[in-house]
């Protein structure tokens, strides 16, 4: 751990040095340089103290969120600035070496920094800086309703036009604005769906995180065909150091009971039948199964007494479950709903044209709709936020599906 801190501080020191050089190149004002230095020093001290005080027996707190947000605010823009300044240094070194060996000017080996380059570097660095500020102030609660029509030739007739609202990754321990969460709850209610599904991570780690928000989420209306949920990786308390195994087990039981308290039926490797008219579909809920975050889910157990010809919707928190197991499952699972990735809460999306996030290098399916072997998975971008207290480019999502009978026509 100490070695990691040394590397981090060394890294911060290098980018701070380059950032100061850029500021110094474009202004000689003593007071500007002193003010910049004091602000940077204050931010670094806050970050260092915040990181050193992190307690794994307590987990993420409001101070942790501020610390991580400030860390990104310091690192990302200045890292971009540093890369540009380093490229200028490479060119300065090349030109200086050429000058030296040609005896052009041995007294001025390295050319001076160019003011224009520093201005460009600072201008480009301001883009992630302002984006991160936006993400922490507005983006984290900029809820988007995404509507998706899905066609299935084997959808039972009575379910043609059936609407499902899907949310994921509430992470209630990160919330700090009751009005915004009430607004999101109202958005969910306004969709007039038949069924509400939640695919896990109701908290960051502890059941108590959800207690201030139970009344708010009880504002969700009664959906005609119910409200169902599953667990996510954060719901197992695996990221904390517990005083005892009993304390961890008690917290887990309390987290499961939270779903009852907000009127969701928690599915633990089991299934229910959703009936409409003379038809029915199977709703299957598995515990968390993740290639990197615990394999508690059992799709075989959860789909007992369900035939391959039945129409099925699976709720599984981690999309890697679909990639490694579900998409090839012999019971022909038509639709899987997941979350987990949050789209890393940072990326670029132009709906219908382009989407990018670092999440794509970790998860093959990381945001939106994917299909393979004639089977679908939809990865929700998440309702809440975790670690970085904001969202840039990848907004919090409420998904509304309309199920249609038939083949998709482009």
């Amino acid at each position: 751990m100490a070695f990691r801190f040394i590397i981090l501080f060394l890294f911060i020191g290098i980018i701070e040095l380059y950032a100061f050089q850029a500021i110094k190149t474009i202004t000689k004002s003593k007071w500007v340089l002193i003010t910049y230095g004091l602000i940077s020093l204050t931010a670094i001290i806050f970050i260092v103290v915040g990181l050193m005080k992190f307690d794994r027996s307590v987990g993420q707190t409001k101070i942790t969120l501020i610390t991580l947000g400030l860390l990104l605010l310091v690192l990302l823009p200045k890292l971009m600035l540093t890369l540009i300044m380093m490229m200028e240094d490479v060119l300065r070194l090349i030109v200086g070496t050429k000058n030296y060996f040609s005896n052009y000017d041995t007294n001025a080996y390295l050319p001076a920094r160019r003011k224009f380059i520093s201005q460009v570097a600072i201008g480009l660095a301001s883009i992630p800086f302002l984006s991160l500020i936006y993400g922490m102030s507005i983006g984290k609660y900029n809820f988007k309703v995404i509507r998706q029509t899905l066609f299935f030739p084997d959808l039972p007739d009575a379910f043609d036009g059936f609407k499902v609202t899907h949310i994921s990754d509430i992470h209630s321990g990160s919330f700090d604005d009751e009005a915004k969460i009430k607004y999101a709850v109202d958005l969910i209610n306004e969709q007039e769906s038949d069924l509400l599904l939640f695919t896990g991570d109701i908290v960051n780690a502890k059941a108590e995180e959800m207690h201030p928000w139970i009344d708010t989420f009880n504002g969700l209306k009664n959906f005609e065909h119910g409200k169902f949920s599953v667990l996510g990786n954060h719901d197992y308390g695996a990221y904390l150091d517990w005083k005892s195994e009993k304390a961890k087990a008690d917290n887990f039981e309390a987290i499961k009971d939270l779903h009852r308290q907000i009127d969701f039926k928690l599915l633990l490797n089991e299934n229910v039948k959703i009936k409409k008219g003379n038809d029915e579909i199977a709703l299957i809920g598995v515990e968390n199964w993740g290639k990197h975050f615990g394999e508690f889910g059992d799709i075989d157990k959860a789909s007992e007494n369900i035939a391959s010809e039945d129409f099925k919707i699976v709720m599984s928190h981690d999309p890697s479950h679909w990639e490694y197991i579900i998409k090839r499952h012999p019971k022909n699972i038509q639709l899987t709903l997941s979350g987990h990735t949050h789209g890393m809460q940072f990326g670029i999306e132009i709906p219908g044209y382009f989407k990018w996030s670092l999440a794509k290098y970790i998860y093959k399916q990381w945001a939106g709709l994917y299909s393979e072997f004639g089977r679908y998975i939809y990865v929700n971008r998440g309702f809440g936020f975790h670690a970085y207290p904001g969202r840039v480019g990848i907004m919090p999502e409420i998904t509304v599906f309309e199920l249609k009978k038939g083949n998709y026509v482009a």
Side-chain angles (χ1 to χ4, degrees):
M1 181 64 73
F3 179 73
R4 292 179 185 177
F5 275 114
I6 291 172
I7 296 297
L8 177 62
F9 296 153
L10 181 61
F11 180 62
I12 292 176
I14 291 171
I15 67 172
E16 284 295 339
L17 177 61
Y18 269 100
F20 183 78
Q21 287 294 320
I23 298 295
K24 190 176 179 181
T25 300
I26 66 173
T27 180
K28 303 301 181 183
S29 171
K30 177 181 177 180
W31 292 111
V32 171
L33 296 175
I34 290 174
T35 301
Y36 170 80
L38 289 175
I39 292 173
S40 293
L41 181 61
T42 302
I44 291 171
I45 291 173
F46 187 95
I47 291 168
V48 171
V49 172
L51 290 176
M52 292 183 70
K53 283 191 171 184
F54 179 74
D55 187 346
R56 275 187 57 87
S57 66
V58 175
Q60 179 176 285
T61 63
K62 303 301 181 187
I63 295 297
T64 306
L65 284 169
I66 294 171
T67 300
L68 292 174
L70 190 58
L71 180 63
L72 288 175
L73 202 57
V74 167
L75 286 185
L76 286 186
K78 291 183 180 181
L79 179 59
M80 177 177 287
L81 185 151
T82 298
L83 291 174
I84 296 170
M85 300 293 285
M86 280 184 169
M87 286 190 288
E88 184 192 21
D89 276 352
V90 171
L91 292 174
R92 290 171 69 213
L93 184 61
I94 292 172
V95 172
T97 302
K98 180 181 177 182
N99 290 344
Y100 181 84
F101 285 104
S102 64
N103 294 318
Y104 176 73
D105 186 356
T106 57
N107 294 320
Y109 174 57
L110 287 178
R113 291 192 181 279
R114 288 182 290 176
K115 184 176 181 179
F116 173 72
I117 297 298
S118 294
Q119 289 173 328
V120 169
I122 292 173
L124 290 175
S126 69
I127 296 173
F129 179 80
L130 295 174
S131 296
L132 288 166
I133 292 290
Y134 167 84
M136 290 186 285
S137 58
I138 298 174
K140 63 183 178 181
Y141 294 127
N142 187 14
F143 294 96
K144 301 297 183 183
V145 177
I146 297 179
R147 293 178 173 81
Q148 190 84 51
T149 302
L150 301 178
F151 292 83
F152 301 94
D154 54 349
L155 182 71
D157 292 341
F159 287 86
D160 188 18
F162 193 78
K163 289 176 67 177
V164 179
T165 291
H166 172 213
I167 59 173
S168 191
D169 300 88
I170 287 175
H171 287 286
S172 55
S174 300
F175 294 155
D176 57 9
D177 192 325
E178 184 178 359
K180 295 294 185 183
I181 304 305
K182 285 183 176 179
Y183 165 75
V185 167
D186 289 341
L187 268 183
I188 294 171
N189 288 337
E190 288 171 8
Q191 304 314 308
E192 297 296 332
S193 292
D194 301 292
L195 179 67
L196 177 60
L197 304 179
F198 165 51
T199 49
D201 278 0
I202 196 169
V203 295
N204 294 330
K206 293 183 175 181
E208 64 191 43
E209 297 166 8
M210 184 64 181
H211 293 168
W213 306 99
I214 288 175
D215 287 344
T216 303
F217 280 90
N218 272 325
L220 290 167
K221 69 177 187 179
N222 293 321
F223 286 66
E224 181 179 355
H225 293 276
K227 296 181 283 190
F228 297 89
S229 57
V230 293
L231 297 173
N233 56 301
H234 280 269
D235 297 324
Y236 293 82
Y239 306 111
L240 294 187
D241 293 332
W242 296 92
K243 293 180 180 179
S244 66
E245 284 301 314
K246 183 180 184 304
K248 182 178 180 180
D250 288 346
N251 180 69
F252 184 49
E253 292 303 314
I255 286 174
K256 289 190 287 186
D257 191 59
L258 290 174
H259 295 255
R260 176 195 62 79
Q261 294 180 54
I262 59 173
D263 199 28
F264 276 75
K265 166 62 178 173
L266 178 63
L267 300 179
L268 300 168
N269 293 325
E270 57 188 313
N271 65 79
V272 296
K273 297 293 180 65
I274 306 296
K275 300 180 184 296
K276 187 175 182 184
N278 295 322
D279 293 325
E280 64 182 23
I281 62 176
L283 179 63
I284 302 168
V286 296
E287 291 196 51
N288 185 73
W289 191 104
K291 192 64 177 176
H292 309 290
F293 295 99
E295 300 177 2
F296 303 103
D298 187 337
I299 188 63
D300 294 323
K301 178 182 178 183
S303 59
E304 285 179 353
N305 304 318
I306 293 178
S308 60
E309 61 269 19
D310 292 339
F311 188 88
K312 296 164 286 293
I313 299 175
V314 165
M315 293 191 293
S316 182
H317 178 72
D318 191 319
S320 66
H321 195 192
W322 188 81
E323 174 63 21
Y324 287 96
I325 294 178
I326 294 175
K327 73 180 183 182
R328 295 181 179 87
H329 199 275
K331 286 197 175 178
N332 181 35
I333 294 166
Q334 293 92 336
L335 175 61
T336 299
L337 302 181
S338 296
H340 180 61
T341 73
H342 302 201
M344 295 286 282
Q345 296 169 210
F346 191 97
I348 302 170
E349 281 203 80
I350 304 174
Y353 295 96
F354 178 80
K355 64 181 179 183
W356 176 90
S357 165
L358 288 173
K360 71 175 293 183
Y361 304 111
I362 305 172
Y363 295 93
K364 188 175 179 181
Q365 300 82 27
W366 61 275
L369 185 68
Y370 304 82
S371 65
E372 203 168 337
F373 309 124
R375 303 170 186 186
Y376 289 106
I377 180 174
Y378 190 91
V379 184
N380 185 286
R381 293 158 180 83
F383 183 93
F385 51 92
H386 178 64
Y388 166 57
R391 283 179 175 265
V392 177
I394 310 293
M395 295 299 120
E397 176 179 356
I398 298 165
T399 320
V400 180
F401 300 99
E402 183 178 8
L403 307 183
K404 297 293 291 182
K405 187 175 180 66
N407 295 308
Y408 175 73
V409 179

